[in-house]
Amino acid sequence: MKHRTFFWFILPSLAAMFFFIALPIVSVAVQSLFVEHEQIMTEVENCGPFKCETVLQVDNEATAALREEAPLGRFNGLGTYTNRKHLAFEQVGVAWNETETFGEFMSELINLPFYKALFFTLTYTAVVTPFVIFLGLGVALAVNTLPRAVKGPTIFVSLLPMIVTPLIGALILFWMVDADGIIGATLQKIFNDPNLSLKASTPLTWMMLIVYGIWSSTPFSFIVFYAGLQTVPKETLEAAKIDGASRWQSIRYVVVPYMMPLVVFITLMQLMDNFRVFEPIISFSASAKATSLSWIIFNDLRGGDIQLFGSAGATSILTILGVAILLTPVLIRTWRDFNRKRA
Amino acid sequence: MSTSVADRRSRGLIWFTTSFVVLWIFIAAGPFIWTVWGSFKVQPDFFSKTDWRNALYGVMTTAQTGSAFTGDGYYGAWVEQAFWRNTINTGIVVFFTVVISLTLGTLGGYALARSGFRYAFWLLMAGLVFRAMPHITLVSGYLLPFFEWNVWGKLSTTIIVLVAINQPFTLWMLHSFFLNIPKDMDESAMVDGCTRFQAFRHVIIPVMWPGVITTGLFSFLLAYNDFAVTAVLLSSENQTMVPRINSFLGTVRETGDVMFAVAAVVSSMIPLFFLVLFFQRQIVSGLTAGAVKG
């Protein structure tokens, strides 16, 4: 295709991506270097019946005028990145010097908002991903043995947890584990503890979120594995059978090796998806117990009276860097594939 | 299906796989069935401390309304809380996002599939990176400029943003789909004197619909399920369903109208249910396209 034709075909799409993806990233980076204006204080003389005293008051008009004039705020350099709400170099340094063991240092570290969110995100990803892969493979192997007439409806039902809006899917589970909901109330009866609440304890909240993660992601890995199972060559399986392999052995030594590229694919997708875990935290109102980087950004933008653009920007840039690191292996692989095709 | 002796499964294995599948179906569908059923009950039944079976038989519902089923939650959500307005907003946003995404995406995806130059590859790589970025990170970049230009809160702004966020995925998917349409088709049309665009218009468009429909389904899901963008970019009167349900949660907990939220949740699931029902094959093929080929 000629350069000129290519250009006209791709232009609308490219323009949309440039103005609404590339430029916002620049905008986020610029924002993260600024911080909100401080309120302007003026000295006012307050005269009581006995004496006069000068007090400091917020000058609302001047503050509003300043905000109007420079909406970005004042320049702060990399200050936002290093403050307590983000990378917190100072606090980490103090914690490193003052704690004796590594365990103590870690417990200090996860009190800082950024590391707390990172810690939850990593735990969530590390637990959900293997569960999703094993469960998905298990379901795929089981569904594959079903008679043809039942397969369609089973796949239909299996797709639901993944297709449904994440916020809504998480809400449905949340209502069931509510202290008065079916699962919550039943658990109270089983443990005979009327005050048992899944929402009140940190480990239980984490578990709930992880259960939601497994529930909503398993369908994806099931579908991918199921499609993969259809491509396993029948001859190899038959050859294994003739050589006397048991059913378990032919799964372990024939099917699973065929699935390995899919395992890599699902793991990468899961890493990317779980890194941005966000909606379930909102649905479960779990932000006191578990936060993620995406939740911190959302909270900066929607949480308080003043929108903290600087703080949201800094977290966004750190998140984008995290995604870039996660993506590096994929990019390298795609690059190799591309060069192989050209050669 | 072969019926050799070696293929025949033992009774225990059949029993095991069947019960595993049944358990999985129960886990996957149970919460939905439970919530749909419970949405026709009153709150003391759906959130029953005394006995969970109350929600099945509607003991309190019968006591309060005289019948085992009640549409009170739906009346409250749709009429009192004017949820229909949010449904219309969602309809507008989803429709235009899908149509515009697909129009831009087919043109771009076709160009990427037919151009062997290095920059096409770099565009695809950039698309891959953009696609992996959490949407909320971009949202913080929109807010300040949108406030300054006075376009914040409008449906049209949100549509454009969703289209743009959707582009990397649409481009990738349609690009790999166009790669499967033989080059000879449009090239022979061009030998016959068509321009590139005419070849696209008369040769490619008639055969591209399966790929476009699959891609459109995923664009639909992205726009319909979005929370991060719509929650931050829409003013309260323009809210779509998902952020509206979220703001329900804050208000109904105070007034004790949780059933409004339950009814709204069930209502917003219905379109997705039918989507999966009618397009199951396309969704499955779309999900596996990236995996099995790559």
Side-chain angles (χ1 to χ4, degrees), chain A residues 290-309:
Chain A
T291 52
S292 70
L293 297 181
S294 295
W295 182 84
I296 293 182
I297 301 170
F298 182 77
N299 192 45
D300 279 342
L301 295 174
R302 293 298 301 236
D305 303 330
I306 307 172
Q307 293 175 309
L308 305 170
F309 292 116

Side-chain angles (χ1 to χ4, degrees), chain A residues 25-79:
Chain A
I25 296 177
V26 178
S27 156
V28 166
V30 173
Q31 267 175 40
S32 68
L33 301 178
F34 287 82
V35 74
E36 290 68 34
H37 291 292
E38 280 168 354
Q39 288 174 321
I40 297 171
M41 300 301 218
T42 45
E43 286 189 1
V44 184
E45 203 159 313
N46 246 354
C47 283
F50 303 108
K51 60 169 183 168
C52 284
E53 50 183 334
T54 51
V55 288
L56 280 175
Q57 259 187 355
V58 178
D59 189 340
N60 282 327
E61 252 175 56
T63 312
L66 185 62
R67 283 210 185 115
E68 187 76 19
E69 193 185 315
L72 266 179
R74 62 202 157 77
F75 189 72
N76 192 30
L78 291 176

Side-chain angles (χ1 to χ4, degrees), chain A residues 210-231:
Chain A
I210 287 169
V211 166
Y212 167 76
I214 297 169
W215 181 70
S216 62
S217 303
T218 302
F220 174 70
S221 85
F222 154 61
I223 291 295
V224 171
F225 280 131
Y226 180 75
L229 283 178
Q230 316 305 315
T231 64

Side-chain angles (χ1 to χ4, degrees), chain A residues 93-170:
Chain A
V94 170
W96 182 254
N97 287 331
E98 286 180 359
T99 50
E100 308 266 304
T101 62
F102 188 70
E104 267 178 60
F105 171 68
M106 285 306 284
S107 64
E108 285 279 306
L109 196 64
I110 60 168
N111 279 330
L112 299 163
F114 180 81
Y115 294 100
K116 188 178 155 195
L118 200 60
F119 187 59
F120 172 72
T121 313
L122 292 179
T123 316
Y124 179 85
T125 314
V127 178
V128 169
T129 311
F131 264 104
V132 162
I133 287 174
F134 282 111
L135 206 58
L137 184 61
V139 176
L141 284 170
V143 170
N144 207 25
T145 63
L146 291 179
R148 183 173 289 267
V150 203
K151 271 182 187 168
T154 312
I155 293 174
F156 167 72
V157 169
S158 308
L159 279 173
L160 290 177
M162 174 186 64
I163 294 292
V164 82
T165 317
L167 188 98
I168 286 174

Side-chain angles (χ1 to χ4, degrees), chain A residues 315-332:
Chain A
T315 315
S316 298
I317 293 294
L318 292 171
T319 311
I320 292 174
L321 288 179
V323 170
I325 293 170
L326 281 178
L327 263 184
T328 322
V330 188
L331 293 179
I332 292 173

Side-chain angles (χ1 to χ4, degrees), chain B residues 253-284:
Chain B
R253 234 170 246 157
E254 289 156 21
T255 56
D257 292 325
V258 182
M259 294 320 287
F260 290 8
V262 178
V265 157
V266 173
S267 313
S268 63
M269 283 184 335
I270 292 170
L272 294 173
F273 181 83
F274 282 104
L275 189 85
V276 184
L277 197 63
F278 291 126
F279 295 105
Q280 178 176 329
R281 215 154 39 92
Q282 283 85 348
I283 293 175
V284 170

Side-chain angles (χ1 to χ4, degrees), chain A residues 1-3 5-6 9-10 12-14 16-17 19-22 24-25 27-28 31 71-72 135 138-139 142-143 145-146 151-169 171-176 178-182 185-186 188-189 194 215 218-220 222-224 227-228 231 238 241 247 262 265 269 272 275-276 278-279 282-283 285 294 297-298 301-302 307 309 312-313 316 319-320 323 327 330-335 337-339 342, chain B residues 6-9 13 17 20-21 24-25 27-29 31-32 34-35 46-52 104-105 107-112 114-123 125 127-148 152 160-161 163-165 167-168 171-172 196-197 200 221 224-228 231-234 242 245-246 249 253 258 261-262 265 268-269 272-273 275-277 280 283-284 287-288 290-292 294:
Chain A
M1 190 183 261
K2 282 195 216 92
H3 295 295
T5 338
F6 178 79
F9 265 96
I10 197 101
S13 174
L14 206 57
M17 288 203 289
F19 286 112
F20 292 97
I21 300 181
I25 296 177
S27 156
V28 166
Q31 267 175 40
L72 266 179
L135 206 58
V139 176
V143 170
T145 63
L146 291 179
K151 271 182 187 168
T154 312
I155 293 174
F156 167 72
V157 169
S158 308
L159 279 173
L160 290 177
M162 174 186 64
I163 294 292
V164 82
T165 317
L167 188 98
I168 286 174
L171 259 182
I172 288 177
L173 292 197
F174 177 66
W175 283 328
M176 291 177 77
D178 187 272
D180 297 340
I182 172 168
T186 309
Q188 285 182 354
K189 285 222 176 89
W215 181 70
T218 302
F220 174 70
F222 154 61
I223 291 295
V224 171
T231 64
E238 263 161 35
K241 223 169 273 166
R247 186 174 302 280
L262 299 183
F265 169 75
M269 297 298 272
M272 277 187 257
F275 196 72
R276 52 179 160 194
F278 168 53
E279 279 103 339
I282 301 266
S283 290
S285 9
S294 295
I297 301 170
F298 182 77
L301 295 174
R302 293 298 301 236
Q307 293 175 309
F309 292 116
S316 298
T319 311
I320 292 174
V323 170
L327 263 184
V330 188
L331 293 179
I332 292 173
R333 200 187 126 191
T334 320
W335 169 242
D337 282 358
F338 179 72
N339 281 333
R342 278 168 67 94
Chain B
D7 246 9
R8 209 169 288 152
R9 291 178 193 91
L13 190 70
T17 51
F20 186 65
V21 170
W24 163 247
I25 290 176
I27 293 171
F32 295 109
W34 171 256
T35 309
F46 188 54
F47 295 101
S48 179
K49 207 163 188 72
T50 43
D51 190 349
W52 64 272
L104 304 190
L107 290 172
Y110 175 71
L112 287 173
R114 291 292 184 262
S115 168
F117 293 109
R118 200 164 275 265
Y119 52 66
F121 170 75
W122 286 113
L123 280 175
M125 292 296 249
L128 198 63
V129 178
F130 284 159
R131 185 181 153 190
M133 275 187 330
H135 301 161
I136 191 89
T137 57
L138 296 173
V139 170
S140 53
Y142 299 132
L143 275 181
L144 211 50
F146 284 1
F147 280 139
E148 291 296 298
W152 179 86
I160 297 174
V161 167
V163 166
I165 286 183
Q167 270 313 292
L171 279 182
W172 261 93
R196 178 60 84 162
F197 187 77
F200 177 72
L221 285 176
Y224 192 88
N225 288 346
D226 176 85
F227 173 68
V232 181
L233 285 190
L234 284 172
V242 180
I245 287 171
N246 182 47
L249 295 178
R253 234 170 246 157
V258 182
V262 178
V265 157
S268 63
M269 283 184 335
L272 294 173
F273 181 83
L275 189 85
V276 184
L277 197 63
Q280 178 176 329
I283 293 175
V284 170
L287 283 176
T288 52
V292 182

